[in-house]
Amino acid sequence: MVFVVYAFRERFRRKRTLIATIPTLSISFHIDATSGTARAARLTTPHGVVETPVFMPVGTVASVKGVSQDVLEDLGVQILLGNTYHLYLRPGVEQVRKLGGLNRFMAWPRAILTDSGGFQVFSLNELRKVTEEGVTFRSHLDGSSHFFSPESAMEAQIGLGADIMMAFDECTEFPADQERARESMELTLRWAARSKKYFEQHKEEVPWNSDETQALFGIVQGGMDAALRKESAERTVEIGFPGYAIGGLSVGEPRAVTREIVEATLRHLPAAKPRYLMGVGTPEEIVQYANAGVDMMDCVLPTRAARHGLLFTSEGKISIKQARFASDQGPLDANCGCRVCQRYSRAYLRHLYAANEVLAQVLNTIHNLSFYLDTMRSVRHSIALGNRAQLLSGEQSGVKP
Amino acid sequence: MVFVVYAFRERFRRKRTLIATIPTLSISFHIDATSGTARAARLTTPHGVVETPVFMPVGTVASVKGVSQDVLEDLGVQILLGNTYHLYLRPGVEQVRKLGGLNRFMAWPRAILTDSGGFQVFSLNELRKVTEEGVTFRSHLDGSSHFFSPESAMEAQIGLGADIMMAFDECTEFPADQERARESMELTLRWAARSKKYFEQHKEEVPWNSDETQALFGIVQGGMDAALRKESAERTVEIGFPGYAIGGLSVGEPRAVTREIVEATLRHLPAAKPRYLMGVGTPEEIVQYANAGVDMMDCVLPTRAARHGLLFTSEGKISIKQARFASDQGPLDANCGCRVCQRYSRAYLRHLYAANEVLAQVLNTIHNLSFYLDTMRSVRHSIALGNRAQLLSGEQSGVKP
């Protein structure tokens, strides 16, 4: 009986909310300091404040592989990324929605961003078919057939209930000629408008008991053509979103091209809105892009490299599997304050990796995330002091994401 | 130059120690309370106090699979078990010795016990050959041939430098006839004497800078024959050790036989010394054996079961993979205060397991260890109050170690 009364009150409260209130803008973006093109800001979401520039660890299926949420909190993670494609397949959107959304499902009280599924589906290559309506693809898990449209991708992301969701886009392949890049960009623009329309009509369906809604970001495409990127940026801004992402990079193009396209795109995105560069990058790159004016980045590099024993340190990257570390009693990184470097020796970490112990993955991931987060903290600090941020570490390049 | 001076001082200090001091008894055992046959005691080791009855988590190759040492500390783990056979193969005894012993190698400041390698070698079956001198066996890693004698097993355990080491024994197979069980028991007794002799001659070689040495425990064998067990116990006590283990159980015999043999053996072991039952057991069993007067136990069950999604709770054991947990928002165990039960839902744990996420193993292991340690804490508390300990949980049996 108590339960019935409670359920009734909840329903009443929810209904009243839908009727009586105009949903407040779900996020706000406040720039605290600038230094050249770089800016230090605070992105306020329904699940807390995110200090930018920020690196978002990837938690594909509602878990940063091997790392418990309390450790992520201790590392200072303020926002996680979840992959809509993976979550849609397992445990399924309805499952997450019923349980109150991703935050509650994975016991993560801070902010979450979900991608649109577009990039993931793009990665499936032979398993997908793109039409005006959307993308038909086969599950990498069991080969079953599925369909994502801008509308169904929004429905999925509303069900998942992340603070920030992404418009459904087509990630243009590399290389692509100018005609193909334009065609793909136009499709992404039409899908952006459809994404926004569906989101506006359904945003109150978010699975929280809150007056706030999610925020939908647009994605700029346009291949490796600066003019198309400019056009994509301007027309995406015309549609109007509270934040903008640069997609379609890190798809096999040379790093110099990535940088050129990022810079060509950034100058056409509004300074007052958060700018998110998707799928980037090495420690050097995240510093470079933060200096260029990017506010948000995500990449599997620190977590995936950790699983392969590749560790980022202030003296450059190292492969912990090497025999030269077998008797090395020093910490992984003498300049790192993370719980791994404070406790364990390189010899022990090397042993764990060589013995294929699960703890190797756990500790390596914690350290690499700590290195990325520390890097971003120092970037923010530099910007606040009016300095151009410098990578506080040695040479990290040569590790592919 | 500073280093040279320091190294010289260290060498001098060590030499002086060897010459000038009679090594103090490395462990002490103080009984705080008894209740029937059960006792609550404190076992003081060179690396801290262990409150008994105690359950020792298994950290085979210097890691409790998936769990960081700081989490083990938070769980209240006071002593870990390491497997000599595995550590001998990888990273190798010399490696661990050079790095200061297991405690320093794995950054674990509390007590450690190493087994003798006898049981592990016994498990290799076709890969081993037993003679009076010792056991020739092949590595499960690369098939290379190795030899363990009582002397080399002691040498290995001194190099590993655990607080407590075990005499080299032959684990009698099950079933074994009376003649075979006696023959095997006699071999173990001769090996026990050789183990003690080698240890007494070499115990100062422990890789710590300490005036304390390790402690060597004897192991009682004798198959499933109560008379042989009595004889083995009495003759092992005659050789003289600071603690005694009951080996050769949990090798396939019925549980009722295990209990009978444990009880038949315990009454012939000195009450003033710690008694260690090797390789046991379920939550019910560790309570039963603590009531019977066992002080120390170890088992892979909580950690191995966790990796298979089998979780011990106050309402009995559950298999988290079951579909019925997919929407279960409750904690794994509402009566458990561990960091897993305090944060995550059954639905999330079920999802992690179904998605084959590494975090499933991490969290499941933490919970199961927490359940075992809480069980032992409540047993100690009951003994201190003069009560016979009761399992605070539901039915847990039916899970094989």
Side-chain angles (χ1 to χ4, degrees), chain A residues 73-392:
Chain A
E73 285 177 348
D74 286 353
L75 286 172
V77 174
Q78 294 174 330
I79 180 167
L80 283 180
L81 183 142
N83 291 124
T84 297
Y85 163 77
H86 290 89
L87 290 162
Y88 161 85
L89 291 178
R90 198 164 56 186
V93 171
E94 181 55 20
Q95 190 63 32
V96 175
R97 195 195 60 72
K98 270 194 316 192
L99 298 172
L102 269 179
N103 288 96
R104 208 166 138 193
F105 176 63
M106 67 183 288
W108 176 251
R110 301 184 183 174
I112 302 177
L113 178 149
T114 45
D115 64 6
S116 69
F119 180 77
Q120 305 286 333
V121 169
F122 163 82
S123 310
L124 295 174
N125 284 309
E126 282 130 66
L127 299 174
R128 79 191 141 90
K129 185 173 167 254
V130 181
T131 65
E132 181 66 30
E133 188 50 28
V135 185
T136 305
F137 60 95
R138 289 189 180 280
S139 159
H140 72 289
L141 295 177
D142 62 5
S144 56
S145 185
H146 299 270
F147 179 73
F148 267 0
S149 65
E151 292 76 17
S152 71
M154 294 310 104
E155 184 187 18
Q157 288 186 80
I158 293 169
L160 295 173
D163 299 86
I164 298 171
M165 42 190 272
M166 303 302 299
F168 191 64
D169 63 328
E170 184 185 50
C171 181
T172 314
E173 67 283 0
F174 177 82
D177 61 26
Q178 218 264 352
E179 189 184 359
R180 164 66 194 139
R182 166 166 289 283
E183 176 191 283
S184 175
M185 178 199 81
E186 296 282 356
L187 182 66
T188 287
L189 284 165
R190 291 191 297 276
W191 284 1
R194 284 167 58 188
S195 293
K196 183 179 177 182
K197 184 177 172 196
Y198 186 95
F199 174 70
E200 291 298 335
Q201 291 170 343
H202 296 270
K203 62 186 178 188
E204 280 85 6
E205 293 164 16
V206 64
W208 317 322
N209 288 318
S210 163
D211 293 347
E212 293 175 299
T213 64
Q214 300 166 271
L216 174 65
F217 281 19
I219 303 180
V220 174
Q221 290 285 348
M224 305 304 156
D225 184 314
L228 280 183
R229 286 280 172 175
K230 173 176 186 286
E231 183 177 343
S232 176
E234 288 171 351
R235 290 171 62 189
T236 308
V237 171
E238 251 171 59
I239 298 170
F241 294 96
Y244 298 93
I246 305 174
L249 295 175
S250 283
V251 289
E253 78 282 6
R255 291 295 163 98
V257 173
T258 317
R259 194 180 318 174
E260 189 191 309
I261 294 300
V262 169
E263 285 169 5
T265 309
L266 279 173
R267 67 177 70 103
H268 303 291
L269 293 176
K273 299 274 173 77
R275 301 145 162 182
Y276 164 27
L277 177 55
M278 306 177 88
V280 168
T282 64
E284 283 92 349
E285 288 168 345
I286 64 173
V287 174
Q288 284 167 6
Y289 292 127
N291 277 329
V294 170
D295 306 300
M296 303 161 71
M297 285 169 266
D298 78 282
C299 192
V300 293
L301 181 56
T303 42
R304 183 175 292 169
R307 298 198 291 278
H308 294 102
L310 293 170
L311 300 170
F312 299 100
T313 80
S314 58
E315 297 181 340
K317 72 172 202 306
I318 66 173
S319 172
I320 198 65
K321 68 185 85 170
Q322 292 175 353
R324 69 188 168 107
F325 298 122
S327 299
D328 190 335
Q329 302 207 41
L332 183 51
D333 185 347
N335 296 315
C336 178
C338 85
R339 61 174 74 201
V340 178
C341 292
Q342 291 301 307
R343 180 155 201 158
Y344 302 104
S345 66
R346 290 175 165 192
Y348 183 62
L349 295 174
R350 194 262 173 186
H351 161 67
L352 291 178
Y353 190 85
N356 202 25
E357 282 290 304
V358 165
L359 190 58
Q361 166 173 346
V362 173
L363 298 181
N364 291 349
T365 303
I366 291 171
H367 169 77
N368 271 0
L369 283 180
S370 177
F371 189 82
Y372 267 63
L373 289 157
D374 280 349
T375 298
M376 278 308 205
R377 267 188 286 267
S378 78
V379 166
R380 279 198 299 274
H381 191 63
S382 292
I383 297 168
L385 294 175
N387 302 324
R388 190 165 178 81
Q390 300 260 324
L391 183 62
L392 293 184

Side-chain angles (χ1 to χ4, degrees), chain A residues 62 65 95 326 343 348 357, chain B residues 62 65 73 95 326 348 357:
Chain A
K65 295 190 186 308
Q95 190 63 32
R343 180 155 201 158
Y348 183 62
E357 282 290 304
Chain B
K65 295 190 185 310
E73 286 177 347
Q95 191 62 33
Y348 183 62
E357 283 290 305

Side-chain angles (χ1 to χ4, degrees), chain B residues 358-378:
Chain B
V358 166
L359 192 57
Q361 166 174 346
V362 173
L363 298 181
N364 291 348
T365 303
I366 292 172
H367 169 77
N368 272 0
L369 283 181
S370 177
F371 189 82
Y372 266 65
L373 289 158
D374 280 349
T375 298
M376 277 307 204
R377 268 188 285 268
S378 79

